[in-house]
Amino acid sequence: MTIESFPGSSGYIDAGVDKKITYFSNTYVLGLTVVAGIGGLLFGYDTGVISGALLYIRDEFEAVDQSSLLQETIVSMALVGAMIGAATGGWINDAYGRKRATLLADVVFALGSFVMAGAPDPYVLILGRFLVGLGVGVASVTAPMYIAEAAPSEIRGGLVSTNVLMITGGQFLSYLVNLAFTEHQLSRKQLQG
């Protein structure tokens, strides 16, 4: 078996073979890229949506409305969790593999979402934000690595950059959601006033 016969090898190694790989030629890798990139979408969405959600959190919890420290802690706790998740993400990937690390990140993110949804006080909300941060931190390490390992070398850079596109897309989506809820809140106040 020669180097030229290895499947998925670069076009540079296959000097005599006229092979062109495009982004849409392998639907499995493209689908894997989109699914793995959802971790980036969640990261962007979670970091952006808190700016609009904080208005409702302040209405729900009087302690948060009266304390800028609590507001700052609620906003920043997801990023603290993301730093810890990203710092441990490499070890988790090595120990359990990319698929299990992605599933673990998803479970932690979902758990954090449920904790936030049922938070009876701001401190439980802070715990939920931390858990969500852990999940997106692990996903932010795992997704680009998983995509890079699955992608053919000719299109690897473009596919890995999909994760960054998903992060900014998640931020954009969160601002659209914030805008929709702001419009809803404004019309509700106009009806009441």
Side-chain angles (χ1 to χ4, degrees), residues 17-162:
V17 178
D18 186 24
K19 179 171 83 171
K20 177 121 171 114
I21 294 181
T22 64
Y23 290 103
F24 301 104
S25 63
N26 189 334
T27 55
Y28 175 75
V29 173
L30 188 62
L32 183 135
T33 300
V34 171
V35 170
I38 290 174
L41 183 81
L42 290 174
F43 199 159
Y45 183 82
D46 190 59
T47 57
V49 79
I50 193 65
S51 62
L54 193 58
L55 300 172
Y56 296 98
I57 294 169
R58 289 173 61 183
D59 289 344
E60 185 70 25
F61 302 117
E62 187 177 331
V64 174
D65 191 38
Q66 296 174 354
S67 170
S68 61
L69 179 64
L70 270 177
Q71 293 173 33
E72 294 164 2
T73 304
I74 290 169
V75 170
S76 63
M77 196 49 66
L79 297 175
V80 171
M83 286 188 329
I84 294 169
T88 60
W91 177 82
I92 292 170
N93 278 289
D94 289 341
Y96 300 108
R98 313 301 174 250
K99 288 182 183 178
R100 287 186 180 157
T102 301
L103 287 173
L104 176 66
D106 293 344
V107 167
V108 172
F109 183 88
L111 178 65
S113 298
F114 288 126
V115 168
M116 286 188 299
D121 61 55
Y123 303 103
V124 175
L125 182 66
I126 290 169
L127 172 65
R129 292 277 297 160
F130 179 75
L131 290 172
V132 164
L134 282 175
V136 296
V138 172
S140 71
V141 171
T142 306
M145 192 179 337
Y146 194 40
I147 294 168
E149 290 174 349
S153 61
E154 293 83 359
I155 58 173
R156 184 172 297 140
L159 291 180
V160 170
S161 67
T162 303

